[in-house]
């Protein structure tokens, strides 16, 4: 591995014009493809194997032409104080609004509140439901403007009018904080390298890699049904790892220059040593992201594969374009220890070498390993406590900020019709195999009426063939409550008895039932996903470190950091701690996908720091240093760079907290805090403490396994042997 990458690094340095031309051509090609590709519609959301999805598919078959996936809007009216919606003037306003809404070319139907009995018992609130032919993301701006204008016309008569539903759904934006995150990364790079040129290389290569990845996703979005969140998350992860991988290559290049090597040789050795670590770190991230496919949720699978592709591009750019740009930079990138005029901290030749902060910290940990280990574990355990109260769900209008019309419409409907009205359940009765479908429909409705927490059960609405019907059930509790979840299971249990008696299938669907099924599916998939991803990465790390205990320690440390991060997410987004600081206007259940997605991404990123930091320790150990001294040596070479990489990654992730989409905001915060816990508590404190306590046992590997494992040579031993360097010189690298 190291020898191949060494040759690749030298070739890229020497043929830099050709390498740069290839990457620029790829960026241009991807950009042209993105610009010429058809606009992507709203990504379809399907959960194969769930009852809610089976019911939805059945509706499309038995009720053709109903536009089941079309956008909907609920125009909610509230009468002024002391008036009723049934007053002649208010009634005339509502009917005029319904007439205006019906004129739209994309409108399928508009319900009249007075005919549909959509007026609250106290007569103060009414609503009209608008159904469209296309989804919210595909709806024309003219149709959205007409909807808003009709509501505004009604407001001018004195009514309170708000619009709920997905018809006003907009493409999420990340906000200016994303740019701030990149700016923070630039400042950290300048401080780390003391040179604008050296600092600019990781930023430039990361932006090129992300540009290629996101442009490719945009170009394929329509064909592959990719949503806007897919490109946002690919950008988030691609920027973070792209900067970090290039940072490690450039840092190792400067260290090789400090050893007195020529620039081409230094570039080759940086690619052969740090580049090997980049390859295996990237592989762990790719395994974690691609492994999301085991959950069998197409949207999550596409997000994982797209982000994994961006990571793979970041690895390739770090191994080829970074050495090429180092060739262009020439002497502007200085050896390790030499600072440019920018920071004015050049080391004088007669000045004795002073131990850096990483060395001093590692020496302290080696002297006090038990105290550091206990403090780190107890601290992460305390941060993880809120995770015991984790509640999962998918967002609806109730999770929107109170400043939005969607949220105000949600609150008005809850006020007028009860909290369960915002989460109706659709029961689909398939009586095709029954002798008397009408009797089955009536029996199903009566059975549901006898269940707890049921407010309303509408009469069955059969299809033209008369073999399938839909029944709408209004719960008494809000959509995200445990009571509503119990009602869904109660209806399904009742359906089992109806199936036994009549051969009819009773299925529950709707957004509320879909959310419940998603949460259960994700919970069921979490353990198999952990076993698969952690197991594969564990085997990979055994090959890298040629040890059993080091990979085991890495996996256990990851579990600590991810649980602490989940605890922080619950504290902020569910409990509301520091919610104002994070821009969280509405607390509620944590996104159903959050735990499993965080596990996948954080595991991959955690292994980055493990590989980069511990390979330096192993490098020192295999060249004759004692275990405790090898820990200190690893920190002397790697702590500063790993710290910079962690701060950069945190800044990039934190930049997405400004997103208007709650899922992106939550993931940005969760990944940022997870990187903090993993890099600074687990890898910088717990890892050296454990290695100091284990001593030589940390690097133990059964002889039979040692013979069976391939030698990937991450430390670059083959390079040193080939060049004839003596062991004393090797130990200094």
């Amino acid at each position: 591995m190291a020898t191949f990458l060494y040759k690749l690094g030298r070739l890229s340095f020497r043929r830099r014009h050709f390498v740069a031309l290839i990457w620029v051509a790829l960026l241009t090609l991807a950009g042209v493809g993105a610009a010429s590709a058809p606009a992507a519609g709203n990504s379809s959301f399907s959960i194969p194997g769930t009852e809610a999805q089976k019911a939805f598919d059945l509706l499309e078959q038995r009720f053709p032409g109903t536009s089941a996936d079309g956008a909907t809007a609920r125009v909610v009216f509230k009468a002024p104080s002391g008036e009723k919606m049934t007053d002649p003037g208010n009634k005339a306003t509502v009917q005029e609004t319904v007439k205006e809404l019906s004129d739209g070319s994309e409108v399928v139907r508009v319900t009249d509140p007075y005919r549909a009995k959509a007026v609250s018992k106290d007569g103060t609130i009414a609503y009209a439901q608008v159904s469209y032919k296309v989804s919210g993301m595909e709806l024309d701006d003219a149709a959205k403007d007409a909807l808003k204008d009709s509501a505004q016309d009604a407001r001018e008569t004195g009514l309170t009018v708000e619009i709920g539903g997905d018809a006003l759904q907009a493409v999420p934006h990340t906000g200016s904080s994303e740019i701030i995150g990149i700016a923070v990364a630039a400042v950290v790079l300048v401080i780390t390298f003391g040179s604008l040129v050296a600092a600019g290389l990781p930023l430039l290569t990361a932006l090129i890699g992300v540009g290629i990845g996101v442009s490719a996703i945009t170009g394929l979005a329509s064909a592959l049904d990719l949503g806007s969140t897919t490109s946002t998350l690919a950008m988030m992860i691609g920027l973070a790892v792209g900067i970090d991988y290039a940072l490690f290559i450039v840092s190792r290049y400067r260290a090789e220059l400090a050893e007195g090597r020529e620039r081409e040789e230094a570039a080759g050795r940086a690619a052969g040593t740090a580049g090997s670590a980049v390859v295996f770190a990237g592989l762990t991230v790719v395994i974690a992201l691609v492994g999301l496919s085991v959950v069998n949720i197409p949207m999550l699978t596409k997000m994982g594969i797209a982000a994994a592709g961006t990571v793979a591009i970041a690895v390739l750019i770090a191994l080829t374009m970074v050495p090429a740009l180092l060739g262009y930079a020439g002497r502007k990138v200085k050896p390790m220890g030499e600072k440019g005029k920018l920071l004015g901290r050049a080391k004088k030749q007669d000045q004795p070498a002073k131990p850096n902060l990483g060395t001093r910290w590692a020496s302290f940990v080696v002297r006090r390993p038990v105290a550091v280990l206990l403090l780190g574990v107890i601290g992460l355990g305390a941060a993880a406590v809120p995770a015991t109260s984790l509640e999962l769900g998918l967002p609806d209008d109730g999770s929107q900020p109170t400043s939005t019309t969607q949220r105000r419409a949600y609150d008005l409907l809850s006020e007028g019709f009860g909290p369960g009205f915002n989460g109706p359940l659709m029961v689909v009765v398939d009586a095709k195999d029954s002798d008397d479908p009408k009797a089955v429909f009536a029996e199903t409705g009566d059975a549901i009426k006898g269940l707890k927490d049921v407010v309303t059960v509408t009469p069955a609405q059969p299809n033209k063939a008369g073999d399938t019907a839909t029944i709408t059930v209004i719960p008494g509790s809000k959509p995200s409550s445990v009571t509503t979840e119990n009602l869904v299971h109660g209806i399904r249990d009742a359906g089992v008895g109806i199936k036994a008696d009549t051969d009819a299938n009773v299925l529950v669907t709707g957004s509320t039932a879909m959310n419940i099924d998603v949460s259960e599916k994700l919970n069921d998939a979490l353990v198999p996903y952990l076993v698969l991803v952690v197991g594969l990465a564990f085997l990979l790390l055994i090959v890298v470190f040629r040890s059993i205990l080091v990979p085991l320690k890495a996996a256990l440390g990851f579990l600590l950091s991810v649980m602490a991060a989940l605890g922080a997410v619950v504290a902020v987004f569910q409990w509301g701690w520091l919610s104002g600081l994070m821009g969280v206007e509405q607390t509620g259940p944590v996104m159903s996908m959050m735990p499993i997605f965080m596990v996948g991404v954080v595991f991959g990123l955690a292994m980055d720091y493990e590989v980069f930091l511990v390979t330096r320790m192993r490098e020192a150990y295999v060249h004759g240093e004692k275990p405790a001294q090898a820990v200190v040596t690893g920190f002397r070479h790697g702590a500063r760079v790993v710290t910079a990489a962690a701060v950069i990654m945190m800044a990039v992730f934190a930049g997405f907290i400004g997103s208007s989409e709650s899922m992106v905001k939550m993931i940005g915060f969760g990944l940022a805090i997870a990187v903090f816990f993993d890099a600074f508590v687990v890898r910088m404190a717990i890892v050296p403490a454990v290695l100091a306590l284990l001593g030589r046992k940390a690097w133990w590997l059964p002889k039979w396994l040692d013979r069976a494992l391939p030698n990937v040579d991450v430390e670059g031993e083959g390079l040193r042997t080939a060049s004839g360097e003596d062991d004393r010189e090797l130990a200094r690298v």
Side-chain angles (χ1 to χ4, degrees):
M1 171 72 76
T3 303
F4 170 76
L5 295 179
Y6 164 77
K7 293 178 180 178
L8 180 62
R10 292 196 62 170
L11 178 65
S12 299
F13 186 96
R14 189 166 55 250
R15 305 294 185 189
R16 47 188 171 273
H17 303 307
F18 180 69
V19 172
L21 181 62
I22 289 177
W23 285 111
V24 171
L26 287 175
L27 178 61
T28 303
L29 183 63
V32 171
S36 59
N42 191 25
S43 178
S44 61
F45 186 79
S46 62
I47 313 295
T50 62
E51 181 172 315
Q53 186 63 45
K54 291 176 182 177
F56 186 81
D57 295 339
L58 183 64
L59 283 174
E60 290 188 329
Q61 295 175 10
R62 304 289 174 84
F63 292 82
T66 57
S67 299
D69 58 347
T72 59
R74 277 180 172 176
V75 183
V76 188
F77 306 88
K78 183 176 182 180
S81 178
E83 298 182 16
K84 302 284 188 181
M85 288 305 304
T86 52
D87 293 346
N90 294 335
K91 186 174 182 179
T93 299
V94 172
Q95 290 177 332
E96 179 63 27
T97 303
V98 169
K99 183 179 179 181
E100 289 181 13
L101 292 171
S102 301
D103 293 337
S105 60
E106 293 182 320
V107 175
V108 176
R109 74 179 66 86
V110 182
T111 60
D112 186 319
Y114 304 100
R115 295 182 180 178
K117 298 181 180 180
V119 181
S120 62
K121 290 182 179 180
D122 62 4
T124 60
I125 297 174
Y127 74 91
Q129 181 150 319
V130 187
S131 301
Y132 293 90
K133 299 176 182 177
V134 296
S135 65
M137 294 294 287
E138 297 170 321
L139 200 61
D140 288 343
D141 290 338
K144 294 182 181 181
D145 292 339
L147 179 61
K148 295 176 184 177
D149 292 342
S150 298
Q152 184 58 38
D153 292 342
R155 289 190 190 103
E156 292 176 357
T157 66
L159 295 177
T160 299
V161 185
E162 304 296 346
I163 305 171
D166 61 353
L168 296 182
Q169 184 176 6
V171 177
H173 62 275
T174 55
S176 59
S177 54
E178 176 190 347
I179 300 174
I180 296 174
I182 297 176
V184 171
V187 171
V188 173
L189 288 170
V190 170
I191 294 174
T192 302
F193 293 132
S195 164
L196 287 175
V197 174
L201 289 181
L203 277 177
L204 177 61
T205 54
L207 289 173
I208 291 174
V210 168
I212 294 173
V214 173
S215 295
I217 291 170
T218 304
L220 297 172
S222 178
L224 300 182
D225 191 26
L226 304 178
S228 58
T229 305
T230 304
S231 59
T232 303
L233 294 175
M235 181 190 303
M236 180 193 301
I237 296 171
L239 270 177
V241 301
I243 294 174
D244 279 6
Y245 294 165
L247 169 64
F248 285 112
I249 298 287
V250 175
S251 297
R252 188 58 183 248
Y253 171 76
R254 296 176 70 233
E256 297 294 338
L257 289 179
E259 294 290 331
R261 295 188 173 90
E262 295 296 328
R263 294 187 178 274
E264 182 180 328
E265 177 70 12
R269 287 178 174 271
T273 52
S276 297
V278 165
V279 169
F280 282 100
L283 275 176
T284 58
V285 180
V286 169
I287 288 173
L289 291 170
V290 174
L292 291 171
S293 59
V294 303
V295 184
N296 196 26
I297 295 179
M299 187 182 78
L300 195 60
T301 299
K302 293 171 186 176
M303 288 164 55
I305 292 176
T310 308
V311 171
I313 292 172
V315 171
L316 292 174
I317 283 184
L319 296 176
T320 57
M321 193 169 187
V322 170
L325 292 181
L326 289 172
Y328 283 118
R331 298 187 179 278
K332 292 180 181 179
V333 177
K334 299 181 180 298
M336 186 76 73
E338 290 188 21
K339 296 288 184 180
K341 297 180 180 179
L342 184 64
L343 296 180
R345 289 164 52 187
K347 186 181 79 173
K348 298 179 181 178
Q349 291 186 355
D350 58 348
Q351 188 178 34
K354 180 182 178 181
N356 60 22
L357 182 60
T359 302
R360 297 196 298 272
W361 168 250
S363 299
F364 169 78
V365 174
V366 168
R367 291 196 304 270
R368 301 285 188 272
V370 176
V372 172
L373 178 61
L374 289 176
L375 185 62
V377 172
I378 292 173
L380 291 178
V385 169
T388 58
S389 302
L390 177 67
E391 296 178 8
L392 298 177
L394 289 177
D396 55 20
D397 285 347
S399 62
Q400 296 267 13
T402 54
S403 59
T404 62
T405 185
Q406 292 95 330
R407 172 60 190 277
R408 292 195 292 265
Y410 181 97
D411 291 340
L412 284 176
L413 289 172
S414 296
E415 177 187 341
F417 302 92
F421 192 79
N422 283 294
L425 305 176
M426 180 177 287
V427 179
V428 182
V429 185
D430 179 9
K432 190 174 183 179
D433 297 329
S434 300
D435 297 330
D436 189 355
K438 289 184 178 180
V440 173
F441 301 155
E443 179 183 346
T444 303
D446 292 339
I448 295 173
K449 290 177 183 177
L451 299 175
K452 294 181 180 179
D453 200 49
V454 174
V455 175
T456 304
V457 178
T458 65
Q461 301 293 322
N463 61 350
K464 291 182 179 180
D467 59 2
T468 307
T470 60
I471 300 173
T472 301
V473 180
I474 306 298
S477 303
K478 63 181 182 179
S480 59
S481 67
V482 176
T483 307
T484 301
E485 182 178 349
N486 292 336
L487 175 59
V488 171
H489 290 302
I491 296 173
R492 289 172 174 172
D493 291 340
V496 174
I498 295 173
K499 169 70 174 177
D501 296 337
T502 66
D503 288 331
N505 289 316
V506 178
L507 307 172
V508 185
T509 188
S511 60
T512 301
M514 185 70 81
N515 291 353
I516 292 170
D517 288 351
V518 169
S519 297
E520 292 179 351
K521 190 176 183 71
L522 289 168
N523 286 337
D524 293 342
L526 185 58
V527 173
Y529 174 71
L530 271 173
V531 171
L532 173 67
V533 172
V534 176
L536 288 175
F538 181 77
L539 295 176
L540 186 65
L541 292 178
I542 289 178
V543 174
V544 174
F545 295 127
R546 309 194 77 78
S547 163
I548 298 293
L549 296 180
V550 170
L552 180 62
K553 163 199 60 66
L556 293 176
F558 150 73
L559 292 175
L560 278 174
S561 58
V562 79
M563 287 304 298
L566 277 176
V569 169
V570 170
V572 173
F573 290 88
Q574 187 175 310
W575 292 359
W577 293 5
L578 301 177
S579 58
L581 182 63
M582 298 297 166
V584 180
E585 298 186 37
Q586 179 63 35
T587 60
V590 173
M591 194 82 55
S592 296
M593 298 181 185
M594 185 66 188
I596 199 163
F597 190 83
M598 179 180 278
V599 164
V601 177
V602 173
F603 182 79
L605 299 179
M607 295 305 102
D608 277 4
Y609 302 118
E610 182 75 14
V611 170
F612 289 128
L613 195 59
V614 179
T615 49
R616 276 292 197 170
M617 299 177 188
R618 173 169 173 76
E619 194 172 335
Y621 176 75
V622 298
H623 290 108
E625 293 189 10
K626 294 182 179 180
Q629 183 57 40
V631 171
V632 177
T633 300
F635 267 77
R636 182 173 71 248
H637 289 298
R640 179 183 178 88
V641 180
V642 169
T643 299
V647 172
I648 289 169
M649 198 170 279
M650 288 168 56
V652 172
F653 288 148
F656 288 84
I657 296 176
S659 173
S660 63
E661 186 165 321
S662 57
M663 181 176 181
V664 176
K665 180 190 289 287
M666 191 180 294
I667 289 178
F669 170 80
L671 294 183
I673 198 70
V675 168
F676 171 78
F677 287 143
D678 195 85
F680 294 107
V681 181
V682 174
R683 309 303 155 190
M684 292 288 188
I686 294 178
V687 165
V690 171
L691 290 177
L693 289 172
L694 290 175
R696 295 186 181 276
K697 295 178 182 178
W699 307 107
W700 171 79
L701 185 70
K703 292 183 178 179
W704 64 268
L705 185 57
D706 185 46
R707 291 191 297 268
L709 292 177
N711 182 16
V712 296
D713 190 21
V714 176
E715 299 83 17
E717 178 67 25
L719 302 181
R720 301 186 182 98
T721 303
S723 62
E725 296 178 354
D726 61 51
D727 290 340
R728 286 176 299 174
E729 183 180 0
L730 298 177
R732 294 188 293 109
V733 177

